[in-house]
Amino acid sequence: VGTGVFGGVLADRFDKRKILLALRMVTGTVALVLGLLVVTNTIVLWHIMVAAFVQGVLMAVRLPATNSIVFQIVGPRRLLNALAAQLMGFNLSRVVGSVIAGGVISSFGVGPNYILVAIFTYTAGALLLFVTVAQPQAPSTREPFWDAAREGIRYVWNNGKVRLLLIMSVFMELFGFSYHIMLPVMARDVLGVGASGLGFLSAAGGVGAVASTLVVASLGDFRNKGRLLLASALGAGLMLVLFAFSPWYVVSLVLVTGVSALLMSYDVSMGTLLQLLSTNEVRGRVLGIYGL
């Protein structure tokens, strides 16, 4: 995650389509190499550690590039809806991808699954060639790389609204989105439902996330984005407290659905406000710091 700021500099400086295409190619190659190592039974621990490190670096660049190119494609008025639709697609693909991966692993093993991931990743990269960017790219700057990074940090610090949103995001990420880390413990020790029950809890969260992003995507140019952000954050916190005290499995399923739905609504609102409050020249760096 330490490369988040510098990923934002890259997103501000270069063509985002080319950045995302290059990231897809490298991501696919990492998956392909892992798959071949597993198939040939030559994989060792340090291979996985290197792959994880590379994927982390790529993610730090992918987040600001992906979110800021959405702004370029749709503009400010449709940004909330577009980010919600993007998250909805992500959640749906996560469900479908998990099912496909489970079937491939059970039938053919882990190695072929990595190779299939590589094929899908290359295909997704090729689809970027058909993406049309309506908004112009921010002017390229020739200032030194480190100066550009410092300028992004300085902009965030001097912009009171952006700074407040980023401070809020730290608490939400630490204590909100991390709730799923505790789901296995809650399923086993509090609700007493075991692995199958945990699966339904996770699925309930996925349903809530898809439903929430679908609703937000249909809102149009919703003006009260700040109120939506605040209501989503407070609602998610309240439902997390209720979930923590709930000893009833069915009630917990409902609460997890609500928590996930409100967190997705918060996530879309936060990403939208950060971009709308940032100028074209530093938008990628602001999103990079947000990713950090």
Side-chain angles (χ1 to χ4, degrees):
V1 297
T3 55
V5 178
F6 306 111
V9 175
L10 292 175
D12 282 333
R13 182 167 294 192
F14 300 107
D15 187 329
K16 298 174 182 63
R17 278 204 316 168
K18 294 180 179 178
I19 291 175
L20 291 172
L21 180 59
L23 291 175
R24 288 292 182 182
M25 296 302 104
V26 176
T27 301
T29 301
V30 170
L32 179 61
V33 171
L34 283 177
L36 294 175
L37 288 172
V38 173
V39 169
T40 57
N41 200 29
T42 56
I43 193 166
V44 293
L45 179 59
W46 72 266
H47 293 149
I48 302 173
M49 295 175 66
V50 171
F53 176 80
V54 172
Q55 293 285 36
V57 172
L58 296 177
M59 180 62 71
V61 182
R62 184 183 300 121
L63 287 173
T66 300
N67 289 331
S68 56
I69 198 175
V70 171
F71 184 94
Q72 283 185 246
I73 293 172
V74 303
R77 294 189 60 184
R78 294 189 177 94
L79 183 60
L80 179 71
N81 320 102
L83 290 179
Q86 180 190 40
L87 273 178
M88 182 174 63
F90 168 77
N91 286 310
L92 285 173
S93 65
R94 184 174 60 178
V95 173
V96 176
S98 297
V99 173
I100 295 175
V104 172
I105 291 173
S106 63
S107 300
F108 304 103
V110 174
N113 183 68
Y114 271 109
I115 296 174
L116 184 63
V117 168
I119 294 172
F120 282 141
T121 304
Y122 288 141
T123 304
L127 292 175
L128 285 168
L129 298 174
F130 300 95
V131 174
T132 301
V133 178
Q135 301 293 325
Q137 172 81 12
S140 178
T141 177
R142 295 186 179 275
E143 63 181 321
F145 194 88
W146 292 100
D147 290 346
R150 283 195 293 269
E151 176 60 28
I153 297 172
R154 189 180 303 115
Y155 178 87
V156 166
W157 182 255
N158 292 331
N159 189 315
K161 292 181 179 180
V162 173
R163 185 176 69 242
L164 180 62
L165 287 174
L166 290 176
I167 292 173
M168 179 182 180
S169 75
V170 171
F171 289 97
M172 288 298 294
E173 296 292 339
L174 283 174
F175 304 110
F177 284 91
S178 60
Y179 85 95
H180 62 88
I181 303 294
M182 290 297 295
L183 280 185
V185 179
M186 295 292 290
R188 182 191 64 196
D189 297 341
V190 177
L191 302 173
V193 293
S196 60
L198 173 61
F200 282 110
L201 284 171
S202 299
V207 170
V210 172
S212 174
T213 49
L214 179 62
V215 170
V216 176
S218 66
L219 288 178
D221 186 21
F222 188 69
R223 292 187 177 184
N224 297 319
K225 298 178 182 67
R227 293 181 180 178
L228 178 62
L229 174 76
L230 184 60
S232 299
L234 292 175
L238 176 61
M239 285 202 169
L240 273 175
V241 172
L242 295 176
F243 174 70
F245 285 99
S246 170
W248 304 290
Y249 180 58
V250 175
V251 174
S252 296
L253 281 173
V254 175
L255 291 172
V256 166
T257 304
V259 168
S260 186
L262 289 167
L263 286 177
M264 284 298 103
S265 174
Y266 157 85
D267 204 21
V268 174
S269 305
M270 175 64 76
T272 301
L273 286 171
L274 284 174
Q275 295 204 60
L276 293 178
L277 292 171
S278 305
T279 62
N280 290 336
E281 292 75 17
V282 298
R283 183 169 291 112
R285 277 165 282 183
V286 170
L287 291 173
I289 294 172
Y290 175 50
L292 172 65

